[in-house]
Amino acid sequence: MNVFGLNVALAVIWSALTGGVTLENLLVGFALGSAALFMTRPLYPGCDRYFSRGIRWVKLILTFLLELVLSSVQVVYDVLTPQHKSRPGIVSVPLEDHSEMAVLVLTNYISLTPGTLCLDVTEDCRTLYIHAMFADDPEEIRQGIKDGVERRVASAME
């Protein structure tokens, strides 16, 4: 059994022992199971990879939430002020060699961020076309995606 499956089993066992299978009990059981597995990680091969991957996913989600707030403020400010600073444009971004699932997470991350939208991905998943609301410097957008979002998604997906 993999470590994640063991953690889920511990969460279900905790819920059964506490008398009710509720979301709160499952989350507490998952947290307690994670703590127990962390303390006994030398006993389980692959446990270190499980926790490091989990930390990378948490960082990816927190970074997304931060970018969501910052870009929302930028878009709202541009919409509410009389002078529009938006210079929309379409930018092509070359991608590294990723799995289709990593490209899917990357495109959803970009599309869910206000001010950007993924238009298309080439069939070989090597080029991404993005519509950006603030495309004054396309090279800056490319570098921001390559050095930021793409790197974090690739790290979380490995």
Side-chain angles (χ1 to χ4, degrees):
M1 179 181 286
N2 65 12
V3 181
F4 178 72
L6 185 58
N7 201 359
V8 170
L10 289 172
V12 171
I13 290 169
W14 172 263
S15 293
L17 289 174
T18 57
V21 181
T22 64
L23 180 62
E24 294 167 348
N25 280 343
L26 286 172
L27 291 175
V28 169
F30 195 82
L32 290 174
S34 294
L37 288 172
F38 184 76
M39 289 188 293
T40 60
R41 66 184 181 277
L43 301 174
Y44 303 101
C47 201
D48 287 331
R49 183 174 180 263
Y50 172 71
F51 286 107
S52 64
R53 189 175 189 188
I55 289 169
R56 290 190 304 256
W57 271 101
V58 168
K59 285 181 182 178
L60 178 69
I61 291 168
L62 290 176
T63 306
F64 169 72
L65 293 174
L66 177 66
E67 287 186 17
L68 180 69
V69 169
L70 293 176
S71 60
S72 295
V73 168
Q74 184 182 21
V75 169
V76 166
Y77 178 78
D78 189 60
V79 169
L80 294 179
T81 56
Q83 298 120 344
H84 295 291
K85 296 182 181 183
S86 66
R87 300 282 180 260
I90 297 175
V91 180
S92 66
V93 179
L95 300 176
E96 300 295 322
D97 192 22
H98 300 296
S99 67
E100 288 186 5
M101 182 60 83
V103 173
L104 177 68
V105 171
L106 177 66
T107 56
N108 282 320
Y109 185 110
I110 293 169
S111 291
L112 288 172
T113 307
T116 56
L117 177 68
C118 289
L119 298 175
D120 196 15
V121 179
T122 57
E123 285 189 34
D124 61 353
C125 295
R126 302 287 287 176
T127 306
L128 179 64
Y129 294 98
I130 298 172
H131 178 274
M133 188 172 170
F134 302 97
D136 295 332
D137 187 7
E139 191 56 40
E140 182 182 337
I141 293 171
R142 276 188 207 96
Q143 280 309 112
I145 290 173
K146 299 284 294 168
D147 296 338
V149 179
E150 183 181 12
R151 183 180 46 81
R152 284 190 300 273
V153 168
S155 174
M157 296 296 288
E158 45 176 54

